[in-house]
Amino acid sequence: MMPKGESLPQNFSREIQFGPVLFCILDLETGCFVDCNPAVRELLGFTPDQLISQPYLDFIHPNDRSDIQREIEDDRVSCENNGREIRLRCSDGSFKWLGWQCSRLTEQRYLYAVATDISYLKQVELDLIESLSISERQIRHLTLSAEIGRVLTTETNLDRMLQRCCEQIVRHLGAAFARIW
């Protein structure tokens, strides 16, 4: 905490070294980066000077841009946005997921933000969702196989066996009906 009556140096964010943590100041009136620490080079491939005075919305992924722009226009950007996940453009044109923590003093035009790369976590999340989808399909397939296997091993009448197998397939597919001719 700063002693009472003292203010931060002019370019204090460049003096703050968080390793791979990006620290930046955004001007909500001009829509531009005001300052950022050297971590921007490691995270996004830009130098601090390449970002300063540039519109920050130009670096936000198109799918994330409208929500951020709406919050800024509605003057809702504040500490309540902590924990936001936004994709930013890298110097090579790719995008990285960054987890943001923001702070804005009441009625101040500057937003102070800290961001860390969460791209790996987002990839793990996507991989998990994909594996769950595969697992659900596999479970449905195994369930159908088991139900048909039970019919084949318990039913002695061929017509009844085909009818029950057909019923299981209809239930499995969510179809209205099926017929075997």
Side-chain angles (χ1 to χ4, degrees):
M1 180 165 238
M2 303 256 324
K4 191 172 185 176
E6 287 189 29
S7 61
L8 295 171
Q10 180 74 8
N11 290 318
F12 75 98
S13 67
R14 290 189 191 211
E15 297 170 16
I16 297 175
Q17 298 298 319
F18 287 118
V21 177
L22 171 62
F23 180 83
C24 61
I25 302 171
L26 309 173
D27 185 330
L28 297 175
E29 287 183 16
T30 65
C32 293
F33 286 97
V34 174
D35 205 357
C36 59
N37 69 341
V40 71
R41 182 186 302 272
E42 184 178 336
L43 287 174
L44 302 175
F46 294 106
T47 65
D49 290 334
Q50 288 175 305
L51 260 66
I52 293 173
S53 300
Q54 297 299 314
Y56 49 80
L57 286 176
D58 290 353
F59 294 89
I60 297 174
H61 190 280
N63 293 348
D64 301 336
R65 198 174 292 154
S66 62
D67 289 341
I68 300 301
Q69 196 166 13
R70 190 171 23 258
E71 285 182 20
I72 292 167
E73 289 169 359
D74 293 348
D75 200 31
R76 288 184 283 137
V77 177
S78 65
C79 293
E80 65 196 39
N81 292 331
N82 284 337
R84 185 174 260 295
E85 299 173 348
I86 301 170
R87 292 166 284 186
L88 253 59
R89 180 174 46 86
C90 299
S91 62
D92 66 3
S94 65
F95 286 88
K96 279 191 180 176
W97 280 100
L98 299 180
W100 291 88
Q101 299 291 320
C102 303
S103 180
R104 179 181 179 199
L105 302 177
T106 308
E107 297 182 23
Q108 192 178 54
R109 70 188 265 184
Y110 298 108
L111 181 71
Y112 301 88
V114 177
T116 55
D117 186 359
I118 59 167
S119 299
Y120 176 76
L121 295 174
K122 294 302 267 185
Q123 187 59 51
V124 168
E125 182 180 306
L126 289 173
D127 292 346
L128 181 60
I129 289 169
E130 185 177 310
S131 70
L132 289 174
S133 296
I134 291 170
S135 296
E136 287 173 12
R137 275 186 271 149
Q138 289 172 334
I139 289 170
R140 285 195 311 269
H141 177 74
L142 290 172
T143 302
L144 175 63
S145 296
E147 290 168 352
I148 289 177
R150 190 176 321 110
V151 169
L152 294 175
T153 57
T154 59
E155 194 61 60
T156 55
N157 180 302
L158 180 61
D159 288 337
R160 180 76 183 129
M161 182 187 303
L162 291 174
Q163 179 184 355
R164 288 188 56 206
C165 285
C166 192
E167 289 169 359
Q168 294 300 326
I169 293 169
V170 166
R171 196 177 84 211
H172 175 74
L173 296 175
F177 69 93
R179 292 187 194 266
I180 298 176
W181 340 167

